[in-house]
């Protein structure tokens, strides 16, 4: 494939990828994890406060990188933030991940890069999690950068690649604790591919491997230390990831929840059918298998570097998938770091098919098939990210807040607008911690909202609006009696919250709503 | 009229309100063919003042005038969403009540309606509807109306309304919201006469979309 054609395909893929990642970023209600991250970022934005939490929330990069996005939109407080600002961060890194692929052209060829770019830009999994304010999109970008950089360092002279590898490893480590899986998986795959070349590996550029490794390590450690110490504000934070290791190791091998079978990730990507909706990225998995099979069975003696790259990247995908599949703790977004290299492997598979088909007609058919596959992936990505963004039938959705919860928050704000204290109207929330989120995000403009996990801990039950989980409704019904009216809203599928409203406030709300005024025949 | 007579009259009227649930000489039990439950267990943690209590027990017998028949089977259905996201509108009256894939129609978000044309005015004695019974969820602003006017601009009788906050602008509804289960929701039209039955909903507690598995309208054959 010519440089011009490959460039044009990358440009088209990037445009499609950006559109899918940026349009209607507020379509999906905030997931409780997103809301949690948003509140943590709000503290950094408003007060410059950040300290790494060894038990939760992952690394600091997400929060620091979000700062310029908020500044660009002129948002200086938590209350002024919105979903578009926050989700633009993972969307930007999702697009950047697509743009990394041309760096692989010297190694895997332009055909593989062009095909992989199309698949990466339109993959529903990649798009969906690039629109979610969690660490995964950034993490996948940093880990793929690391994988590319060490491959280039292994095959080319110069210090730029070891330096880039160090930067990427440092940022990955400062983003998510699972860097201890993904980075070694890439190093192992690189070593395995290099070893598999036998006598042909002597043509490689590993002349200063020891020095290069030391440089990468020093840079990576320095960058990670800067972030974990909150840019030297909390020097002790440098040691916190060590403390976190035990927490995350225990959570990974003996989780209290999020336990899934070993085939969870493959099954999720391969096929999902629920409630009349079908989703599949099986073609990517099949093409990646083709890429791996050809990489490890054919040996082109004239291009040992290409053989190395093909074997390295396909092995990287397989090793990372195997490790993540072995760990009992699984959440769907954890697939991103190994799925990026799986998609590259699919590009290698398409390139192998192109080489195997000699006739022009077969090439045209292959190009048509890739175009149709990309269009199908794009359609699924749109459906997953916008039309069914919070629907439990969507396989990428996980413990997702339902739209009813947004209506609940809107109801509380509407009631506050009718209360004499407006946004200072007291609101009491009594629910287990897992059933409080994402309310703090949606009620972020209200200044007097109190959260308790048990009714007995709440100071009193006199707030004009009281939100309760199902477990506390008997007590609240008995305590509040006729002074309050109650209604209920969904929080997540099959999780409801009750909202108790002081009767006089409710009457004002209803009188404002007016009598039935809908035109007949509407 | 003395106060005692008035009180007795009110009590008698109140006693006769749930007439459909009472066995009376000129009535017979409405025989219903119900689908298998799609989810196991009863969502007993779902409690709220405007939510019907979930008992987990079967609905009791429902009595209708002798000779009552199913009027809606295979009858024409129209909708505010003429191009459903999933399924076809005729699924609503095709007699298939299984809640699985391929048995329901999915309409778009916000308030949507479906309308069944019975072909001629009939006295109606029972309406049974299933929105979606594969999951414990509650559909919002369920309003059921009957009319002889296909456009529902005149002669409209509202026989069910659980829009407790008037968000769909039909006026405050006094009926309670309910959790979707396999036995469907039975409404007593109390003999109101009409040719068209229109059913509204406004999303649900799981998503913004509107669904129907089946609607059955029972009434006098003439």
């Amino acid at each position: 494939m010519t440089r011009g054609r490959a460039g044009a395909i990358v440009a088209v893929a990037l445009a499609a990828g950006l559109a899918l990642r940026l349009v209607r970023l507020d379509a999906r209600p905030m997931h409780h994890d997103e809301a949690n991250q948003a509140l943590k970022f709000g503290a950094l934005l408003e007060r410059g406060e950040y300290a790494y939490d060894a038990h939760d929330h992952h690394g600091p990069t997400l929060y620091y990188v979000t700062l310029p996005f908020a500044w660009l939109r002129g948002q200086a407080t938590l209350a002024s933030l919105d979903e578009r600002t926050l989700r633009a961060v993972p969307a930007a890194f999702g697009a950047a991940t697509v743009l990394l692929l041309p760096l692989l052209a010297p190694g895997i060829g332009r055909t593989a890069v062009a095909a992989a770019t199309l698949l990466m830009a339109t993959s529903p999994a990649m798009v969906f999690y690039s629109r979610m304010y969690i660490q995964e999109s950034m993490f996948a970008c940093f880990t793929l950068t690391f994988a590319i950089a060490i491959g280039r360092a292994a095959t080319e002279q110069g210090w730029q690649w070891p330096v880039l590898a160090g930067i990427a490893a440092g940022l990955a480590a400062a983003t998510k604790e699972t860097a201890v899986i993904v980075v070694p998986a890439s190093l192992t795959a690189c070593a395995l591919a290099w070893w598999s070349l036998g006598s042909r590996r002597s043509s490689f550029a590993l002349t200063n491997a020891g020095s290069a490794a030391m440089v990468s390590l020093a840079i990576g450690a320095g960058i990670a230390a800067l972030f974990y110490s909150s840019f030297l504000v909390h020097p002790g934070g440098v040691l916190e990831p060590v403390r976190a290791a035990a927490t995350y190791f225990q959570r990974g091998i003996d989780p209290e929840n999020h336990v899934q079978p070993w085939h969870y990730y493959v099954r999720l990507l391969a096929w999902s059918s629920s409630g009349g909706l079908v989703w599949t990225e099986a073609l990517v998995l099949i093409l990646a298998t083709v890429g791996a099979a050809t990489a490890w069975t054919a040996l082109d003696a004239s291009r040992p570097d290409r053989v190395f790259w093909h074997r390295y990247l396909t092995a990287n995908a397989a090793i990372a998938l195997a490790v993540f599949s072995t760990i009992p703790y699984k959440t769907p977004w954890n697939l991103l770091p190994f799925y990026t290299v799986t998609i590259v492997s699919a590009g290698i598979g398409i390139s192998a098919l192109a080489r195997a088909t000699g006739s022009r007609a077969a090439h045209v058919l292959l190009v048509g098939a890739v175009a149709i596959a990309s269009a199908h992936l794009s359609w699924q990505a749109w459906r997953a990210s916008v039309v069914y963004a919070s629907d439990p039938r969507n396989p990428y959705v996980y413990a997702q807040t339902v739209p009813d919860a947004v209506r609940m928050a809107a109801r509380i704000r509407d009631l506050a607008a009718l209360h004499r204290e407006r946004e200072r109207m007291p609101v009491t929330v009594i629910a287990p911690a897992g059933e409080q989120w994402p309310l703090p995000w949606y009620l972020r403009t209200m200044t007097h909202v109190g959260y308790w996990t048990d009714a007995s801990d709440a100071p009193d039950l006199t707030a004009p609006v009281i939100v309760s989980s199902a477990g506390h409704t008997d007590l609240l019904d008995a305590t509040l009696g006729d002074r309050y009216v109650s209604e209920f809203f969904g929080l997540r599928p099959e999780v409801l919250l009750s909202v108790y409203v002081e009767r006089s406030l409710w009457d004002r709300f209803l009188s404002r709503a007016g009598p039935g005024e809908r035109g007949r025949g509407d | 009229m003395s106060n005692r007579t008035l009180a007795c009259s009110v009590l008698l009227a109140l006693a006769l309100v749930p007439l459909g649930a009472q066995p009376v000489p000129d009535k017979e039990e409405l025989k219903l063919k119900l689908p298998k439950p799609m989810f196991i267990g009863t969502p007993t943690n779902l409690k709220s003042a405007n939510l019907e209590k979930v008992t987990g027990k079967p609905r009791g017998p429902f009595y209708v005038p002798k000779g009552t028949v199913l009027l809606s089977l295979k009858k024409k259905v129209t909708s505010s969403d003429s191009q459903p996201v999933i399924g076809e509108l005729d699924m609503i009256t095709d007699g298939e009540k299984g809640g699985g894939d391929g048995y329901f129609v999915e309409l778009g978000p916000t308030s949507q309606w479906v309308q069944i044309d019975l072909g001629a005015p009939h006295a109606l004695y029972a309406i049974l509807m299933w929105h979606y019974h594969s999951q414990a969820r509650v559909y919002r602003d369920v309003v059921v109306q009957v009319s002889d006017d296909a456009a529902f601009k005149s002669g409209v009788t509202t026989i069910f309304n659980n829009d407790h906050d008037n968000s769909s602008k039909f006026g405050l509804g006094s009926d309670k919201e309910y959790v979707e289960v396999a036995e469907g929701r039975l409404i007593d039209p109390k003999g109101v006469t009409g040719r068209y039955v229109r059913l509204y909903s406004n999303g649900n507690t799981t998503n913004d979309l509107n669904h129907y598995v089946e609607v059955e309208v029972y009434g006098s054959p003439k």
Side-chain angles (χ1 to χ4, degrees):
Chain A
M1 181 178 287
T2 64
R3 189 186 294 267
R5 279 186 188 171
I9 291 173
V10 170
V12 168
L14 185 65
L18 274 172
L20 287 168
R21 283 161 176 78
L22 290 173
V23 174
R24 292 188 60 188
L25 275 176
D26 56 354
R28 182 173 48 76
M30 288 286 269
H31 188 278
H32 56 272
D33 284 351
E34 291 182 285
N36 209 296
Q37 312 271 33
L39 269 285
K40 205 163 171 62
F41 170 65
L44 178 65
L45 179 69
E46 289 183 351
R47 304 184 295 278
E49 291 175 3
Y50 174 79
Y52 175 66
D53 176 358
H55 299 285
D56 213 344
H57 299 110
H58 302 304
T61 52
L62 179 67
Y63 314 109
Y64 285 103
V65 170
T66 309
L67 280 172
F69 285 78
W71 294 334
L72 273 173
R73 294 201 64 208
Q75 296 168 335
T77 61
L78 172 67
S80 65
L81 284 172
D82 59 28
E83 287 86 345
R84 283 176 293 162
T85 298
L86 299 174
R87 290 172 173 166
V89 179
F93 278 89
T97 308
V98 176
L99 269 181
L100 285 174
L101 298 182
L103 291 174
L104 286 167
I108 64 174
R110 286 193 284 268
T111 302
V113 164
T117 307
L118 279 171
L119 299 177
M120 184 89 77
T122 59
S123 153
M126 296 301 298
V127 171
F128 187 85
Y129 298 118
S130 292
R131 298 165 58 97
M132 199 166 182
Y133 187 63
I134 55 177
Q135 280 82 358
E136 259 58 29
S137 175
M138 295 178 73
F139 185 59
C141 183
F142 296 145
T143 54
L144 184 61
T145 305
F146 176 76
I148 294 170
I150 62 166
R152 297 285 300 252
T155 54
E156 296 175 29
Q157 300 285 353
W159 288 98
Q160 70 271 33
W161 299 111
V163 168
L164 181 61
I167 293 170
L171 289 170
T175 301
K176 206 172 173 203
E177 296 76 6
T178 43
V180 299
I181 297 172
V182 184
V183 169
S186 294
L187 290 168
T188 305
C190 189
L192 190 65
W194 181 77
W195 173 81
S196 76
L197 294 176
S199 60
R200 291 174 185 83
R201 60 181 175 245
S202 59
S203 61
F204 276 56
L206 288 169
T207 48
N208 295 315
S211 305
M214 291 306 293
V215 167
S216 295
L217 195 61
I219 291 172
I223 287 175
L226 270 180
F227 276 100
Y228 278 110
S229 66
S230 309
F231 290 89
L232 307 180
V233 173
H234 304 291
V238 174
L239 298 176
E240 287 298 290
V242 180
R243 285 207 316 127
T247 303
Y248 284 96
F249 181 75
Q250 186 63 29
R251 192 178 295 170
I253 61 167
D254 187 21
E256 290 178 7
N257 41 37
H258 307 292
V259 179
Q260 302 288 355
W262 66 269
H263 50 76
Y264 173 75
Y265 295 117
V266 173
R267 194 192 58 196
L268 189 154
L269 291 165
W271 184 263
S272 168
S273 174
S274 174
L277 301 176
V278 174
W279 314 78
T280 178
E281 298 192 49
L283 187 64
V284 175
L285 301 181
I286 292 167
L287 289 168
T289 307
V290 170
T294 54
W296 287 89
T297 55
L299 182 59
D300 181 358
S302 65
R303 293 293 306 270
D305 60 326
R306 185 145 296 183
V307 174
F308 162 78
W309 273 104
H310 288 179
R311 290 184 175 182
Y312 161 43
L313 292 168
T314 55
N316 192 353
I319 292 170
L321 169 62
V323 175
F324 275 102
S325 296
T326 305
I327 297 169
Y329 179 99
K330 294 181 180 73
T331 51
W333 43 78
N334 272 335
L335 64 83
L336 252 63
F338 67 78
Y339 197 44
T340 52
V341 268
T342 304
I343 290 172
V344 174
S345 302
I348 294 170
I350 291 171
S351 173
L353 290 174
R355 284 197 307 277
T357 52
S359 71
R360 184 172 178 78
H363 276 171
V364 170
L365 271 177
L366 188 61
V367 169
V370 172
I372 291 170
S374 300
H376 182 242
L377 289 173
S378 300
W379 173 69
Q380 291 187 84
W382 172 259
R383 223 171 43 154
S385 302
V386 177
V387 183
Y388 295 104
S390 60
D391 197 305
R393 292 171 294 172
N394 176 346
Y396 309 104
V397 159
Y398 191 74
Q400 170 63 41
T401 310
V402 296
D404 218 30
V406 183
R407 283 191 283 269
M408 171 172 60
R411 170 62 47 85
I412 294 171
R413 291 195 301 271
D414 287 347
L415 291 165
L418 298 172
H419 192 268
R420 63 181 180 282
E421 296 192 63
R422 305 283 173 173
E423 293 192 337
R424 291 171 54 82
M425 178 185 83
V427 177
T428 298
V429 179
I430 305 167
E435 295 182 22
Q436 293 179 356
W437 294 93
L439 270 183
W441 165 257
Y442 284 110
L443 301 181
R444 64 191 182 281
T445 58
M446 299 187 64
T447 54
H448 285 61
V449 184
Y451 296 87
W452 288 270
T453 54
D454 198 280
S456 59
D457 296 334
D460 53 31
L461 294 172
T462 58
V465 174
I466 300 170
V467 180
S468 161
S469 62
H472 296 108
T473 51
D474 285 343
L475 175 66
L476 287 172
D477 286 341
T479 307
L480 302 175
D482 289 339
R483 294 182 292 119
Y484 283 71
V485 296
S486 76
E487 51 181 348
F488 65 93
F489 293 89
L491 179 71
R492 290 190 288 276
E494 300 192 38
V495 178
L496 296 186
L497 293 178
S498 287
V499 176
Y500 293 83
V501 184
E502 209 174 52
R503 187 169 290 279
S504 60
L505 181 59
W506 179 252
D507 290 343
R508 284 207 297 284
F509 173 76
L510 284 186
S511 64
R512 192 199 65 158
E517 59 198 31
R518 186 160 167 166
R520 299 285 188 177
D522 283 355
Chain B
M1 185 183 290
S2 70
N3 286 344
R4 176 175 290 186
T5 308
L6 181 62
C8 288
S9 302
V10 169
L11 284 173
L12 182 62
L14 286 173
L16 289 173
V17 166
L19 198 56
Q22 305 299 319
V24 290
D26 58 341
K27 295 206 170 189
E28 62 186 357
E29 183 182 346
L30 182 63
K31 299 294 183 187
L32 301 169
K33 191 176 175 185
L34 301 177
K36 288 181 181 175
M38 294 289 290
F39 57 88
I40 298 169
T42 306
T44 50
N45 64 329
L46 307 184
K47 286 181 286 187
S48 185
N50 61 326
L51 180 66
E52 270 184 3
K53 190 174 180 183
V54 181
T55 64
K57 296 174 184 170
R59 181 175 47 230
F62 187 80
Y63 294 92
V64 293
K66 288 177 179 171
T68 295
V69 296
L70 175 61
L71 301 168
S72 56
L73 188 65
K74 310 288 185 190
K75 289 296 190 324
K76 184 183 176 186
V77 181
T78 52
S79 172
S80 54
D81 184 353
S82 58
Q83 293 187 311
V85 184
I86 293 174
E88 303 293 336
L89 290 174
D90 57 14
M91 288 175 167
I92 296 172
T93 54
D94 65 358
E96 295 283 356
K97 305 164 200 169
D101 298 358
Y103 292 104
F104 65 87
V105 60
E106 180 169 286
L107 310 177
T110 70
S111 182
Q112 302 285 352
W113 54 260
V114 298
Q115 183 171 314
I116 301 168
D117 179 1
L118 301 174
H122 295 269
L124 307 181
Y125 298 118
I127 295 176
L128 188 57
M129 59 183 174
W130 293 261
H131 283 102
Y132 188 88
H133 59 87
S134 302
Q135 185 188 52
R137 59 172 69 165
V138 178
Y139 280 79
R140 299 296 195 183
D141 302 354
V142 174
V143 177
V144 182
Q145 296 179 327
V146 176
S147 178
D148 282 336
D149 177 9
F152 277 72
K153 289 181 178 173
S154 62
V156 177
T157 304
T158 299
I159 57 173
F160 187 89
N161 180 353
N162 68 11
D163 179 9
H164 75 287
D165 59 358
N166 194 24
S167 51
S168 285
K169 304 296 181 190
F170 287 107
L172 280 180
S174 57
D175 296 295
K176 288 193 176 185
E177 294 182 294
Y178 59 91
V179 177
E180 290 285 325
V181 290
E183 66 174 7
R185 184 64 166 84
L186 184 63
I187 296 171
D188 184 358
K190 297 182 170 61
V192 65
T193 299
R195 172 176 170 175
Y196 301 96
V197 177
R198 185 179 277 197
L199 306 97
Y200 292 83
S201 62
N202 187 10
N204 61 81
T205 47
T206 295
N207 57 40
D208 274 338
L209 302 169
N210 297 278
H211 305 88
Y212 289 89
V213 172
E214 188 76 9
V215 177
E216 291 185 336
V217 182
Y218 293 86
S220 163
K222 294 180 181 177

